[in-house]
Amino acid sequence: MSGRSSWTGVVSERLRCFICGGSTDDAADYVLVELTAPAAETKQYFGAHAGHLNGVLAEGFEVEVHLM
């Protein structure tokens, strides 16, 4: 896996929406998606607007945003 990042730290800045490609800087429905694989120790992060993510999820799946 040479040339690939193995960084697994915390994402401290908002990522662009991986659905629309737009900025999430002021989005109230920003979500951070963490993707892992059982055979790997690395993680992949995606940022998204929850509304856009809900638009592409399979039936029965839904993202809800709870402000903390």
Side-chain angles (χ1 to χ4, degrees):
M1 291 216 322
S2 68
R4 292 192 178 185
S5 174
S6 62
W7 177 82
T8 59
V10 175
V11 176
S12 60
E13 295 181 18
R14 286 185 175 212
L15 302 174
R16 298 184 76 74
C17 179
F18 79 103
I19 306 296
C20 74
S23 173
T24 60
D25 289 345
D26 297 323
D29 69 339
Y30 175 74
V31 294
L32 182 65
V33 178
E34 178 184 275
L35 182 66
T36 62
E41 294 181 20
T42 59
K43 300 174 185 179
Q44 173 70 55
Y45 294 95
F46 300 95
H49 298 103
H52 294 160
L53 186 55
N54 281 332
V56 299
L57 289 175
E59 188 174 328
F61 291 91
E62 184 177 347
V63 173
E64 293 182 15
V65 177
H66 300 273
L67 300 179
M68 303 182 105

